[in-house]
Amino acid sequence: MTLSVKAQENGSPEVRISPLEPEFLSKQLSWSAAFYMHPEATVIVDLSGKIIGCNQSYMELCGCHSGDELLGQSITRFIKEDEYSRVIETLNGNKSRIAGLEVNFSAVDGRKILVEVSASFVKDSNEEPVGVILAVKDITERKSLIERLLQEKRMFDILMDSIPDAIYFKDANSRFIKINKPKALRMGLKSPDEAIGKTDFDFYHEDFAREAYEDEQRIMRTKEPLIGKVEEVKGRDGRVRWVSATKIPILDENGRVVGLVGISRDITDLKLMEKKLEHACMELKERVEELQRIRRELERSNRELENYTYVVSHDLKTPLRAIRSFISFLLEDYGDKLEGEGLEYLRRIDAAAARMNEFIEDLLLLSRVGRKFMEVERVDLNELLDEIVQDLKPIIESKKAKVIVSKLPVLYIQRVWIKQLFTNLVDNGLKFNKSEVPTVEVSCEETPSKYIFRVRDNGIGIREEHLGRLFNLFERLHSGEEYEGTGAGLAICKKIVEGWGGKIWAESVFGKGSTFSFTIPKKYGRCEG
């Protein structure tokens, strides 16, 4: 039996049938216009694989203009022989019909096309195969789209599982439809698939599950998202974790809510730290209150001590004045009758009384610093230093010394104490100085929060191990015979500076000089009222 198909001038295929079974073949190969114009590429081959018929779509797929280019050609020109053999083997094993078999297709112009083949045997009246009809569908674009979708899904899955936060999707009934690995780990699952179709009631304490369900149903009912809600998550085993949860409704193309997506971040460590901080703050508050109580007690005690010092010092002046008066009378009335040791003893008593008077005066001055900081007034420090230089003129001239003053600010401060402070420091710079030209320099540096004053000299300097003792009351580093004074001057300076909320310190190189620095808060640089 021979079958042949030839394209007519009008483009429709003409079927030529052998005289053996004309009626059978005419029924099997009724080449109508419907077959020729069918949108799916279709080709008919005989059992040897030669093409005996095809439609317009198949010609277009092959890149041909007429059927004459195809008729009589082997199908293996377009489908590799091993793949066509697979089609026939599959047909034989599937009761003469297959669908959706992927094969590679080669067009006449060399294009490589991935196609999906559906095929069935063409049979004669005795149900014997006489040929094969193949429907060939170009699936290149579809496969490319599927590959892109698969790639996007892979990227999505990687993103889902790489983010440490728990991510989950739920349907309209709050059943899990997808979760990521961190979420599965929190739920104690070996695989995220174990959660699919289940609800929070299957994994968490009923109280938490009910609250979560009510939140989610409200979100899907109102379409309003829940952002950053802090939740106490209690598991069925009683373990508690804290999370920050965000839940957003999912809408279909018609705007209907079909579920939600949730993201929860574990903030348990943060909450524990927060509780520790709260506890620490409470302890700190208690300690601050205790320190304030101690400070008030110290202030009260200091006031009492200052008052006591003032009273005692003041009361000691009267008998001391009487002692010195009697010594003066004795020396005046009986000095010519006293000789040798008696006269020396009397003079020593007078010197000791004078020294005690100096101690009492310094104590009174120190107690006054704490007891009565006088009213604030405008003080131009440049004018004040000129005044101090005039007060110290005798010692400056006697030592042929120099006092150099840089530009100083105007302060609103207690004049009597700022003068006492600078006088003590400049006087010390001149007193403890054996240079040929004793020099004292006064300068000021300004910062956003404070003034830093420096009084630098080229005097005898201070050994490093003695620097920590400088500001102690009545602390002397030299004998009274070598340098006059009681050792209270720097203690008074310290109390004055600290009374304003500042600090005072010393730096020195033994044998080369010292620098005394102190700070005064910037608030004293402007009038407060």
Side-chain angles (χ1 to χ4, degrees), residues 225-268:
L226 178 71
I227 308 295
K229 179 183 179 182
V230 176
E231 297 179 330
E232 184 181 10
V233 182
K234 185 184 292 185
R236 285 190 160 188
D237 58 0
R239 291 176 58 194
V240 174
R241 306 289 293 176
W242 290 88
V243 301
S244 173
T246 295
K247 300 179 181 181
I248 301 171
I250 300 174
L251 310 180
D252 63 12
E253 62 274 10
N254 298 317
R256 184 170 60 89
V257 176
V258 293
L260 61 80
V261 57
I263 303 175
S264 65
R265 174 165 294 179
D266 192 321
I267 58 171
T268 303

Side-chain angles (χ1 to χ4, degrees), residues 187-229:
M187 296 166 71
L189 304 178
K190 294 181 179 179
S191 168
D193 294 339
E194 295 179 42
I196 295 175
K198 297 179 181 179
T199 70
D200 286 329
F201 288 95
D202 295 304
F203 303 102
Y204 301 108
H205 189 278
E206 184 178 354
D207 293 342
F208 169 74
R210 183 181 298 107
E211 181 181 349
Y213 177 80
E214 291 173 356
D215 283 344
E216 291 165 2
Q217 292 303 306
R218 182 177 64 255
I219 291 168
M220 290 187 280
R221 186 174 60 254
T222 63
K223 299 183 181 180
E224 294 181 359
L226 178 71
I227 308 295
K229 179 183 179 182

Side-chain angles (χ1 to χ4, degrees), residues 53-72:
C54 66
N55 67 356
Q56 181 69 30
S57 296
Y58 186 79
M59 286 186 277
E60 292 174 356
L61 180 65
C62 293
C64 297
H65 300 290
S66 71
D68 286 338
E69 298 178 53
L70 300 174
L71 297 179

